[in-house]
Amino acid sequence: MTPSTDSTIFTNGRFLSNGIESSESTFSSALVVQDGKITFIGDSGSPEIQNYRNAGVHVNDLNGRHVLPGFIDAHMHFLMLGQSLHKVDLDHAIDLEEIRSRISIYAKENPDKQRILCKGWMHSMTNGKALASMLDDLDPRPIYIDSKDIHSCWCNSAALREMGVQDMKDPAGGTIERDSEGNASGLLSEACVLLIVWPYLAKVTPLDEKMAALRTAIDAYHAVGCTGCIDMAMDENAWEAVLALRSAEGLPLRVAAHWCIMPGESEEHRLRQVERAIKLNRQFNNDTSPDLRIVGIKVICDGVIDACTAALAEPYTSNGYFEGPIWTPEMLGPVVKKASESGLQCALHAIGDQAVHNAVNVLQKYGKPGQRHRIEHLELTAPEDAKRLGQLGITASIQPVHSDPAILRAWPKLLGPERVKRAFAYSEFEHHGATLAIGSDTPTAPYAPLPNLYVATTRKSARQPDAGDEPVNANFRLGLAQAVTAVTNGAAFSCFAEDRIGSLEVGKAADFCVVDMEWKDEELLKATVMETWFAGKKVYET
């Protein structure tokens, strides 16, 4: 390509040049960007670089820093991330007293807010209790508290009243907790969050606030080196806001999305939702809208282990409780069949080993070769199902941040010591040929990729690195090159974008981040993103 004034030479860097199959790290020393794309990657002393220099092209000296492809969060919630960054953060709260204190302080500092929205609560912080009466004296305004996993919402009485929860029946796959007299007591679980809480808050939140939340999410992503994401529960509310932002000012983030399918009351209702996803995919796809696409559907097959709502093959060790899946195989089959026949990708949330088994079975039955269906989370898997992922071409969509030892201290009691040995079997998935795609599931967990990669490669805690927790199943750790590939090229491959993004190669988009780091997994918590570039333009500088 002929050098132009729009060209930039990046030199004196360590440019990662791995492909998706790479298990070792290879680096180049120079890269050239022109018209938003990479036109050269190689040695800084090459004739091509000299040609660019002779043409007077601007040179950017990176002082020996590492340059990685722009991170792609392979599993996240776009609008919810932006909104969460404005919520009262209850993460790391010790007990109910601290939760109440944080909410009270926020309430006094924000008298004009119509509602008090919070995040980061875990059942263990309040000894498993979540009653409206524990919040009612703090403030007369509605209070909504998202659990860390976003599978439940703890509300005060004002919030329950404004949603009209008292007169509702439990939706399919959800539970409205009630007292002995039948009154809604404060906790809404599983499908209630999707079908009651989110739609209500979407209705009462102005569009401009949603657009502002998306801007906040984009800025936050740029600051940690992310240039792309895969939204894992897109709905009409979020989609409207994303389209509005793109129309108003563009979208400096490459977004693929899976349309969330609710359990509903009937097969007809479920299939209508799939038809909506098919229609949107025909409008927003790789050919028509490569940087904002509806690529498939998302189905939440079970809950989470900490709340004993994940579907396990054997009862929970702690209480002998057995939880079936939210989506039975009979419900799942027609939905996956219709989506696959229409060329959509299926993303199936499956955390417990029974849910994973069901998900693999249905994808084996209805999936077609090369469709790149995926299973999300895969937190507890039987060896035979871990092996089948690669055999069937199923992407293992994993979130190492959820395997942080600091948040798994209850697991040995919940599952027993033998089952815990099967938790987060990442390297086993890869060993059997599955493509790995690393995400964060933000806002259920921190979104920064580098600490996420630290957990993936060391199996140690990024949250509490000095707490002395033992690594969680260190035999399943990933190598650093494997982990970085999974959050770049693996994520791109998982949504059919590997021809355009995900690695530093000639012809691909110039999406990358400049990182001050040592190339050692143990040093990742010290690494800092210095710059982020999107389509050849700097969008973040520390």
Side-chain angles (χ1 to χ4, degrees):
M1 182 175 287
T2 304
S4 75
T5 54
D6 188 46
S7 303
T8 303
I9 301 170
F10 294 85
T11 189
N12 192 19
R14 301 196 67 203
F15 299 86
L16 183 67
S17 45
N18 283 17
I20 196 167
E21 303 297 335
S22 299
S23 59
E24 300 297 328
S25 310
T26 55
F27 297 93
S28 300
S29 57
L31 178 139
V32 178
V33 172
Q34 185 170 321
D35 298 327
K37 293 189 176 181
I38 297 168
T39 57
F40 172 86
I41 183 167
D43 187 81
S44 56
S46 68
E48 291 94 334
I49 290 294
Q50 193 57 49
N51 183 35
Y52 278 101
R53 286 182 183 273
N54 292 341
V57 170
H58 174 70
V59 178
N60 192 331
D61 189 322
L62 297 179
N63 300 308
R65 293 189 171 116
H66 286 78
V67 179
L68 310 179
F71 299 126
I72 303 166
D73 192 333
H75 181 125
M76 57 79 72
H77 305 281
F78 191 11
L79 178 58
M80 291 169 61
L81 167 61
Q83 292 173 326
S84 76
L85 295 172
H86 298 285
K87 293 182 179 182
V88 184
D89 191 356
L90 304 179
D91 201 17
H92 300 300
I94 297 171
D95 52 21
L96 176 62
E97 183 179 357
E98 185 172 351
I99 288 172
R100 286 170 53 85
S101 173
R102 291 192 196 183
I103 295 173
S104 294
I105 291 169
Y106 177 89
K108 288 174 181 144
E109 292 176 347
N110 294 273
D112 298 328
K113 296 281 187 184
Q114 288 187 283
R115 294 169 186 81
I116 298 172
L117 307 179
C118 313
K119 65 175 179 179
W121 162 70
M122 296 180 72
H123 291 73
S124 58
M125 295 174 182
T126 52
N127 296 318
K129 292 184 179 180
L131 302 174
S133 59
M134 296 155 68
L135 305 170
D136 284 342
D137 63 326
L138 296 177
D139 197 275
R141 290 170 287 180
I143 300 174
Y144 294 81
I145 303 178
D146 295 334
S147 64
K148 184 181 289 291
D149 55 34
I150 316 186
H151 279 248
S152 53
C153 185
W154 174 19
C155 305
N156 70 348
S157 295
L160 296 174
R161 278 196 302 273
E162 74 168 356
M163 290 188 291
V165 167
Q166 179 60 35
D167 298 324
M168 296 180 184
K169 294 181 179 179
D170 285 4
T175 303
I176 301 170
E177 298 291 342
R178 299 181 185 274
D179 61 22
S180 59
E181 297 178 358
N183 297 313
S185 57
L187 186 66
L188 307 177
S189 300
E190 298 299 342
C192 292
V193 178
L194 298 170
L195 298 174
I196 300 173
V197 180
W198 292 357
Y200 179 79
L201 290 177
K203 182 177 70 174
V204 297
T205 302
L207 180 61
D208 61 342
E209 285 189 24
K210 297 172 192 172
M211 292 168 66
L214 292 174
R215 288 189 202 97
T216 300
I218 292 168
D219 290 343
Y221 262 151
H222 286 167
V224 295
C226 281
T227 55
C229 65
I230 304 175
D231 187 289
M232 270 298 155
M234 188 58 72
D235 59 13
E236 302 287 358
N237 163 51
W239 188 243
E240 176 194 31
V242 173
L243 290 180
L245 184 64
R246 184 177 77 157
S247 175
E249 58 201 58
L251 201 63
L253 193 74
R254 306 191 196 278
V255 180
H258 285 257
W259 200 254
C260 193
I261 308 299
M262 304 298 184
E265 299 294 337
S266 67
E267 181 177 314
E268 180 186 4
H269 177 247
R270 293 187 284 272
L271 293 180
R272 277 203 308 271
Q273 296 174 70
V274 179
E275 287 166 4
R276 175 63 173 152
I278 294 168
K279 181 179 179 181
L280 287 169
N281 170 260
R282 299 296 181 261
Q283 294 176 264
F284 301 91
N285 54 58
N286 249 334
D287 295 325
T288 62
S289 177
D291 293 329
L292 180 60
R293 302 175 288 142
I294 298 295
V295 297
I297 62 167
K298 161 77 176 299
V299 177
I300 302 174
C301 298
D302 70 339
V304 294
I305 285 172
D306 296 271
C308 295
T309 54
L312 303 184
E314 299 292 336
Y316 285 86
T317 303
S318 56
N319 53 16
Y321 183 69
F322 181 79
E323 177 78 17
I326 296 171
W327 283 70
T328 64
E330 292 74 24
M331 294 165 63
L332 199 54
V335 165
V336 171
K337 181 175 186 288
K338 185 175 185 66
S340 296
E341 288 176 346
S342 302
L344 297 188
Q345 291 180 265
C346 297
L348 307 181
H349 162 125
I351 284 179
D353 54 355
Q354 185 61 56
V356 172
H357 184 71
N358 294 349
V360 175
N361 281 352
V362 75
L363 292 177
Q364 180 176 25
K365 184 172 183 180
Y366 295 113
K368 295 176 173 56
Q371 288 190 316
R372 301 185 195 177
H373 298 302
R374 42 195 290 159
I375 298 180
E376 311 302 309
H377 308 306
L378 295 158
E379 294 188 5
L380 189 69
T381 53
E384 56 271 22
D385 289 326
K387 189 174 183 179
R388 292 164 71 199
L389 298 175
Q391 293 172 343
L392 296 170
I394 298 171
T395 296
S397 175
I398 57 175
Q399 301 77 41
V401 66
H402 286 171
S403 67
D404 191 304
I407 59 173
L408 298 180
R409 292 172 188 147
W411 277 42
K413 180 181 177 184
L414 291 167
L415 300 177
E418 287 306 308
R419 275 193 292 189
V420 167
K421 292 177 184 177
R422 289 294 313 164
F424 307 101
Y426 298 158
S427 63
E428 187 174 290
F429 306 154
E430 196 273 342
H431 174 72
H432 289 302
T435 294
L436 302 183
I438 284 182
S440 69
D441 200 14
T442 190
T444 74
Y447 54 84
L450 291 169
N452 201 356
L453 297 181
Y454 174 81
V455 180
T457 55
T458 67
R459 308 293 287 221
K460 297 179 182 179
S461 178
R463 287 173 171 269
Q464 299 176 17
D466 300 322
D469 292 294
E470 288 295 313
V472 173
N473 297 342
N475 54 308
F476 291 140
R477 62 179 289 275
L478 298 176
L480 183 52
Q482 288 176 307
V484 171
T485 298
V487 76
T488 54
N489 218 355
F493 181 88
S494 76
C495 63
F496 290 93
E498 77 278 10
D499 290 341
R500 299 181 292 110
I501 56 175
S503 60
L504 304 180
E505 297 181 66
V506 171
K508 290 193 177 183
D511 296 355
F512 56 86
C513 55
V514 180
V515 187
D516 189 359
M517 67 182 297
E518 286 188 60
W519 192 254
K520 296 177 182 176
D521 49 26
E522 292 281 353
E523 301 298 320
L524 284 169
L525 293 184
K526 300 175 185 176
T528 303
V529 173
M530 308 301 291
E531 300 174 6
T532 301
W533 294 71
F534 178 83
K537 291 183 171 56
K538 188 191 295 184
V539 291
Y540 170 79
E541 184 172 17
T542 188

